[in-house]
Amino acid sequence: MAGTPRGVRWNPEISPWHRWPVTLAVLAGMLVVVSGSVPLLPATLNRVTAIAYAIKAGQGQPGWPGGTIPYSWGGGHDDDPGPSLGTCRGYSGAIRPCPATDTLGLDCSGLARWVYRLAYGRDVLGPGNTDDHVRRLTEVPAAKARPGDLVFYGKIGDRRVKTHHVGIYVGRGRMINALRTGTEIRIDRLTAVKGFAGYFRYQ
């Protein structure tokens, strides 16, 4: 896609993690000033939302020089979180032929994994898909949901988990997410995807 950097790989040496707290503080301040509608939250959830908004706005991150990030099926699931080339294995999108292997980007769980890696300073969600990630989280009642929580879609039961989408909740019924092939990281209403399963939080 036009304006999408190609061949950029995760490289901690480019932007050492010890510099990240300063960047986070700046982003969090920008978020409060710009949005005005995001409430003060526990520190880590504040970082999650600040980073998600920054990525959506195309701001550079450690290992990513900046610019809009397209959806890529399987993107974000290298050993290190962050934008990567996707895969066509299991692809069922409407755009044909599958563009994932030529698209540097993120899928929905790849985005959530990367944002949480940046916010927590380690890969807390780990490898895998939405089914794997939701098992590492705790469900939060809707009345206690806060921006920075993750919202999942699909079926989540005690014995069976079958999910198909995740987004980063940013309040007011909206999420930042990687929706589908042909889109870029963006804000959508929670109702944009069918099968809402609930709000989930790490720790």
Side-chain angles (χ1 to χ4, degrees):
M1 291 187 176
T4 300
R6 301 285 177 175
V8 179
R9 309 304 293 170
W10 187 266
N11 186 350
E13 295 180 1
I14 294 176
S15 300
W17 287 106
H18 68 271
R19 296 179 185 173
W20 186 236
V22 175
T23 306
L24 286 172
V26 173
L27 287 174
M30 289 174 58
L31 179 61
V32 171
V33 171
V34 172
S35 72
S37 63
V38 179
L40 293 176
L41 306 168
T44 303
L45 290 183
N46 265 328
R47 289 197 295 271
V48 169
T49 53
I51 292 165
Y53 272 109
I55 289 172
K56 185 263 178 188
Q59 297 177 15
Q61 306 298 320
W64 178 256
T68 56
I69 302 177
Y71 182 99
S72 182
W73 178 263
H77 296 288
D78 279 351
D79 291 339
D80 292 314
S84 68
L85 294 176
T87 178
C88 288
R89 182 181 302 173
Y91 175 79
S92 60
I95 296 177
R96 299 289 177 168
C98 167
T101 54
D102 295 319
T103 303
L104 186 68
L106 299 164
D107 66 9
C108 63
S109 55
L111 171 64
R113 181 189 179 197
W114 186 37
V115 169
Y116 269 55
R117 166 66 174 95
L118 296 174
Y120 283 88
R122 54 194 171 88
D123 188 13
V124 296
L125 294 183
N129 57 22
T130 52
D131 290 351
D132 300 306
H133 290 175
V134 75
R135 291 186 178 101
R136 301 180 182 121
L137 304 171
T138 301
E139 187 168 9
V140 179
K144 295 184 178 180
R146 299 290 183 267
D149 290 333
L150 295 179
V151 288
F152 283 82
Y153 295 79
K155 302 288 186 180
I156 301 174
D158 293 335
R159 297 183 179 181
R160 186 169 182 267
V161 173
K162 186 64 175 177
T163 56
H164 56 85
H165 190 66
V166 62
I168 299 161
Y169 181 55
V170 293
R172 297 192 174 186
R174 297 175 183 271
M175 62 180 168
I176 292 177
N177 70 140
L179 186 62
R180 58 176 172 265
T181 301
T183 67
E184 297 168 342
I185 305 303
R186 67 189 207 178
I187 297 178
D188 283 296
R189 294 188 178 276
L190 299 185
T191 54
V193 179
K194 295 181 180 179
F196 183 80
Y199 301 87
F200 290 79
R201 185 175 300 166
Y202 179 74
Q203 296 181 332

